[in-house]
Amino acid sequence: MKKKKLGKLIAVNVLVASQLLLAACSNNSEKTGGDSKESYSLDSHLEVSWTAILHTPSPPTDVVLDKIEEATNTTINFNWVPDASKEERITAALASGELSDIVSLTMLTNSSVRQSLKSGMFWDVGEYLDDYDNLKLISEDIRKAASIDGKLYGVPFQKDLARSGLIIRKDWLDKLGLEVPKTLDELYEVARAFTEDDPDGNGKDDTTGFGDRSDLRYSSFKTLSSYFGTPNGWAVDENGKFTPEFETQAYKDTMNYSRKLYENGYLAQDFAVTAKTDQQQNFAQGKTGIYTGMVDIKNLKVMAKGVQDQMELVPVNKVAGPDGKYHIWSENSGVGGLMAFPKSEVESEEELKRILQFINDLIDEEVFMLMTGGIEGTHYELGENGEFKVLDDALWQKDVQPFASSRPSEITHSIVDADPSKQLANELIKENEEFAILDPTVPLDSATANERGTELQKIIVDATIKYIMGELDEKGFDAEVEKWRKSGGEQMITEYEEAYKKSQE
């Protein structure tokens, strides 16, 4: 064997396994002599290590993994990295150079990630995709959005163009005599009522309108800002001039809206230190009534089983802004990141091609269903009209759910969900494409963004959170924006403008 493999890292406690990311990757010293010349064919058995992001409390069991391996003729050694610590873990691994055969890079705007991609650390797979029946179907728009300077340093995770929106407790709306909000004012009133009017009827002051988390991009703030008409990251005018979103009035209007929510207690008071899993638990336990992210509607209902069995949810994708129109931000133009292949681990073109065949096989409908639903008859069943229904929520959570975020494509196959609210959410996510706002910098490159983009963005994120919490006034926020400009922001603007001009030639 070319590498020493570690076996299935399934039962590892991700909270205490500090070496989880690197454990299966410290193989470089063992790639010596003839072992590095192992031959590969597209139908040979593959042993592959994969650093993947975990969005659930625990890694999956072997039950579905065994079926995935059988279907793809592989042995897969997953190195699960909890979503809450992915930035720290991934950047540390990139810096050390100790990597897996496949690395899920979901933070394409992270400066360390972009630097690593541009450094030549990973294979450029652009010329290979059309050799595979599933990978060749990746659209040119997605390939372009996932590329840097025209090079595609991994297989793009294919996502819907815009998945954001709200999930609201419908049973609480009904109890309080409220309609599903259609405007920002109506949404504010729902947040107020969910906080002050005892929506759960227990006679206690123990509910909050908006649950939230510290990640501004995936918290309520980014979605609210798009409702207000804020550009997605950057605005570019007809002359090719770029303006960062936080220098627009719409962004400041969003900060004021969020600040008012926070001051009145209608926004979770601990949002600045809350992780995604805690935000979900708070919602599932009936502590909050508005959640951001329609795609999570089924997970929330599963989490609420036995705790909030009376819970009824409604997904909402259309909240009109001050201009009376609908807007929603697009996540990287339908790209959820890259499955990247380090040259230090994937040493030959033959090995790369075999791994690409593996990624291609994961998109086959059989494997997609394994990673989505599990084993038919055990985890799910299909109704007379093909409606998908989970048979045992607890079992599905344990065996199947953790694989969902590692599916190479969420758009190649579609499922009609037996749960009406989940199916409605799926349909609304598709509808979002009609009014999605794209980030114009996704296909562009900026040296400053690559080198210090994450550091610079932190200035704005911290300032925004402080403003919402009342720790900074408008003058103080503007001072932080000026700090951003002087620390490299102005150079970033210039570089994006130059790259944009070049792209238009």
Side-chain angles (χ1 to χ4, degrees):
M1 293 299 295
K2 173 172 71 81
K3 305 171 187 173
K4 178 181 178 182
K5 298 296 183 178
L6 296 183
K8 298 175 184 177
L9 301 178
I10 302 302
V12 179
N13 185 329
V14 296
L15 296 179
V16 299
S18 61
Q19 298 301 315
L20 187 59
L21 174 63
L22 305 177
C25 314
S26 56
N27 310 309
N28 294 351
S29 62
E30 300 180 34
K31 295 182 176 185
T32 58
D35 286 347
S36 65
K37 300 184 182 298
E38 182 175 353
S39 62
Y40 293 85
S41 64
L42 296 186
D43 59 356
S44 63
H45 183 80
L46 176 69
E47 221 171 324
V48 63
S49 59
W50 186 351
T51 296
I53 309 302
L54 185 67
H55 291 267
T56 56
S58 303
T61 63
D62 285 359
V63 174
V64 173
L65 178 60
D66 289 342
K67 295 292 185 180
I68 295 172
E69 291 179 329
E70 180 181 347
T72 58
N73 192 23
T74 59
T75 298
I76 311 168
N77 300 299
F78 275 107
N79 311 307
W80 295 105
V81 178
D83 181 68
S85 59
K86 66 183 177 184
E87 192 152 357
E88 174 188 350
R89 300 277 189 94
I90 294 296
T91 54
L94 292 173
S96 68
E98 297 188 353
L99 302 162
S100 302
D101 300 325
I102 305 170
V103 183
S104 293
L105 299 176
T106 59
M107 310 171 294
L108 294 186
T109 58
N110 179 281
S111 53
S112 295
V113 170
R114 291 186 72 86
Q115 279 184 293
S116 297
L117 290 171
K118 291 194 68 177
S119 72
M121 182 184 294
F122 297 93
W123 284 88
D124 176 2
V125 303
E127 66 179 283
Y128 300 102
L129 298 188
D130 289 340
D131 295 335
Y132 302 87
D133 58 347
N134 290 321
L135 298 182
K136 70 181 182 182
L137 301 178
I138 299 174
S139 71
E140 288 302 319
D141 286 342
I142 286 181
R143 295 189 197 197
K144 181 179 179 181
S147 297
I148 298 177
D149 287 343
K151 296 185 181 298
L152 188 58
Y153 295 109
V155 176
F157 282 105
Q158 299 175 75
K159 305 281 188 180
D160 287 297
L161 192 62
R163 301 185 300 165
S164 197
L166 304 174
I167 298 172
I168 301 178
R169 287 288 297 260
K170 185 179 184 301
D171 52 324
W172 287 8
L173 290 174
D174 293 344
K175 177 176 175 55
L176 299 178
L178 297 170
E179 299 293 328
V180 173
K182 296 181 174 62
T183 67
L184 284 162
D185 287 343
E186 291 176 2
L187 179 59
Y188 185 89
E189 171 56 21
V190 168
R192 183 208 64 77
F194 279 7
T195 307
E196 297 181 346
D197 295 347
D198 192 23
D200 58 359
N202 67 357
K204 300 178 181 179
D205 182 16
D206 58 357
T207 57
T208 302
F210 271 95
D212 228 331
R213 62 181 186 263
S214 58
D215 183 350
L216 282 188
R217 184 173 175 84
Y218 293 102
S219 69
S220 66
F221 186 83
K222 184 72 172 178
T223 295
L224 290 173
S225 74
S226 60
Y227 292 161
F228 271 98
T230 305
N232 187 2
W234 298 80
V236 55
D237 65 18
E238 63 276 8
N239 297 315
K241 296 298 182 183
F242 277 63
T243 301
E245 62 179 356
F246 45 83
E247 290 191 5
T248 66
Q249 186 57 47
Y251 190 95
K252 288 190 173 181
D253 290 343
T254 310
M255 289 201 302
N256 287 326
Y257 185 93
S258 297
R259 183 171 184 162
K260 187 178 177 183
L261 286 170
Y262 183 82
E263 287 176 343
N264 288 300
Y266 311 154
L267 172 67
Q269 300 295 286
D270 59 352
F271 82 93
V273 293
T274 299
K276 176 182 179 179
T277 52
D278 294 326
Q279 178 196 13
Q280 292 177 326
Q281 286 292 343
N282 288 336
F283 189 91
Q285 292 168 12
K287 297 177 182 179
T288 61
I290 306 172
Y291 178 92
T292 308
M294 291 190 296
V295 71
D296 289 333
I297 192 167
K298 194 163 191 172
N299 294 346
L300 294 172
K301 293 180 74 171
V302 169
M303 293 170 70
K305 284 287 181 68
V307 181
Q308 292 278 306
D309 288 330
Q310 75 280 16
M311 176 186 285
E312 293 182 49
L313 304 180
V314 58
V316 178
N317 74 324
K318 290 180 175 178
V319 175
D323 60 1
K325 299 179 181 179
Y326 301 125
H327 315 276
I328 195 66
W329 67 284
S330 170
E331 304 169 73
N332 297 319
S333 300
V335 177
L338 294 173
M339 286 160 281
F341 316 105
K343 294 178 181 177
S344 61
E345 306 302 311
V346 181
E347 298 177 323
S348 68
E349 185 179 42
E350 288 73 22
E351 184 179 4
L352 173 67
K353 289 180 177 180
R354 178 61 185 92
I355 293 177
L356 288 173
Q357 181 64 54
F358 164 63
I359 301 296
N360 182 83
D361 293 344
L362 292 179
I363 304 177
D364 284 344
E365 186 170 13
E366 175 191 358
V367 186
F368 171 82
M369 287 305 299
L370 285 170
M371 299 180 79
T372 303
I375 301 169
E376 187 173 3
T378 299
H379 300 101
Y380 75 94
E381 66 180 6
L382 298 176
E384 292 183 4
N385 298 313
E387 303 96 339
F388 173 87
K389 180 181 180 180
V390 172
L391 295 174
D392 186 324
D393 289 327
L395 188 64
W396 178 82
Q397 280 183 297
K398 183 176 65 171
D399 295 342
V400 187
Q401 187 184 13
F403 291 112
S405 59
S406 294
R407 295 173 297 177
S409 175
E410 296 179 9
I411 64 175
T412 304
H413 307 288
S414 60
I415 293 175
V416 177
D417 204 288
D419 182 335
S421 62
K422 173 59 175 174
Q423 182 57 26
L424 177 57
N426 292 341
E427 293 169 2
L428 297 185
I429 287 171
K430 295 294 184 185
E431 187 180 52
N432 276 349
E433 295 183 12
E434 299 173 13
F435 44 88
I437 307 301
L438 304 184
D439 180 346
T441 67
V442 167
L444 305 179
D445 195 46
S446 157
T448 302
N450 294 340
E451 295 167 5
R452 289 182 286 132
T454 303
E455 169 193 339
L456 291 171
Q457 185 63 24
K458 189 176 187 303
I459 296 173
I460 302 302
V461 169
D462 289 348
T464 301
I465 291 175
K466 288 179 180 179
Y467 186 93
I468 293 171
M469 297 176 68
E471 297 175 8
L472 209 61
D473 59 14
E474 185 172 0
K475 184 177 180 181
F477 180 81
D478 290 343
E480 291 301 295
V481 171
E482 185 62 24
K483 176 182 176 182
W484 174 89
R485 278 185 163 270
K486 291 180 177 179
S487 300
E490 289 184 359
Q491 183 62 27
M492 194 187 304
I493 292 173
T494 298
E495 290 165 358
Y496 276 137
E497 290 176 347
E498 291 174 350
Y500 179 78
K501 181 179 179 181
K502 185 177 180 181
S503 72
Q504 301 300 302
E505 294 175 351

